[in-house]
Amino acid sequence: MILEVRPEDRIKEQEWADKLKLGRLAVREALSRLHGEGLVTRGAKGGFFAAKMTAVDIHDIHEVREIFEVAAIRLAQERMTPKQLQQLEDACDDFAYLVKRGYHVGACESDLRFHHLLVECSGNSKLVRAYDLSHIPLFHVRVGHSREYLNDYAYTEREHREIVAALKEKDFEKAIERLRAHFDRGESAVLSQSDGT
């Protein structure tokens, strides 16, 4: 079951309670938390709606993710373990498998996991905690299954693998360069799919 919500879609509590086999109160609690994180908005007449990202939001997300993840790579120079490198490679493999099988929501989760693992490579628990508390979303909002949409997955996989390859070579500046290029491309891709208002 695909559980994707497009920007500005109304999120009906009972419908989601049925989909997730949860009580309506649990869904309302989750929506209230998502509202606190800025991922959903409240309508003028009540109810919750999926938040729409503006061009400014997308750029702000880009900047914040870059600050966290570049810092993580710099710290990882002395702290990253072989196990963490393997976990990053496994995340790339999981992402590729999920895309191939058409499990696009799972692929997005795998994408998030890759970046979380990258931050964990810093070996700094406070940085990881700050990253988690920031609830930074991926800034590419998936809007369909067109060829362009699927190409984005191919680019993402290639870029993730380039970052891992640079880390394996202990070329941390190259890893940072590839990470920044990944974020630049992601920002451009989502802005091209929306009106960017």
Side-chain angles (χ1 to χ4, degrees):
M1 174 174 55
I2 294 177
L3 303 177
E4 293 182 325
V5 181
R6 292 173 60 115
E8 300 185 311
D9 277 357
R10 185 183 181 112
I11 303 171
K12 298 175 183 173
E13 290 178 12
Q14 190 58 58
E15 179 183 325
W16 281 86
D18 294 342
K19 281 181 182 180
L20 299 171
K21 297 180 171 50
L22 294 170
R24 191 166 174 173
L25 190 59
V27 172
R28 186 174 300 154
E29 168 81 16
L31 289 170
S32 294
R33 293 178 98 176
L34 290 171
H35 180 257
E37 294 167 17
L39 297 175
V40 299
T41 60
R42 287 188 186 273
K45 297 181 180 179
F48 290 97
F49 295 80
K52 179 180 179 181
M53 281 193 272
T54 67
V56 172
D57 293 329
I58 292 161
H59 187 68
D60 286 352
I61 289 166
H62 176 160
E63 288 183 334
V64 172
R65 289 183 68 196
E66 188 171 308
I67 288 166
F68 274 116
E69 296 183 42
V70 166
I73 290 175
R74 293 203 187 283
L75 291 170
Q77 291 183 58
E78 303 297 329
R79 304 175 184 180
M80 187 171 53
T81 66
K83 180 180 177 181
Q84 288 173 322
L85 265 177
Q86 186 59 56
Q87 288 175 327
L88 286 167
E89 283 194 306
D90 291 345
C92 291
D93 292 340
D94 290 344
F95 180 85
Y97 173 80
L98 291 164
V99 171
K100 184 177 180 181
R101 299 286 294 182
Y103 301 140
H104 299 108
V105 173
C108 288
E109 290 295 321
S110 183
D111 191 350
L112 281 168
R113 175 166 167 67
F114 176 87
H115 289 279
H116 192 275
L117 287 167
L118 199 58
V119 175
E120 286 183 350
C121 288
S122 70
N124 185 308
S125 63
K126 301 299 184 187
L127 182 66
V128 175
R129 178 76 172 147
Y131 184 80
D132 287 342
L133 289 173
S134 296
H135 302 288
I136 308 168
L138 296 173
F139 45 48
H140 26 283
V141 179
R142 314 286 187 182
V143 294
H145 301 288
S146 65
R147 180 170 297 280
E148 181 181 354
Y149 174 55
L150 294 175
N151 282 346
D152 185 69
Y153 288 117
Y155 291 135
T156 296
E157 182 191 349
R158 186 189 71 208
E159 292 158 1
H160 284 184
R161 291 192 188 278
E162 287 172 349
I163 293 164
V164 175
L167 292 172
K168 286 180 79 172
E169 294 164 5
K170 299 190 182 303
D171 189 340
F172 293 95
E173 289 307 314
K174 183 178 179 182
I176 288 168
E177 175 192 309
R178 300 317 307 148
L179 177 70
R180 285 179 166 145
H182 175 54
F183 287 152
D184 288 345
R185 202 252 334 141
E187 180 176 354
S188 296
V190 72
L191 288 174
S192 72
Q193 292 176 15
S194 67
D195 59 14
T197 56

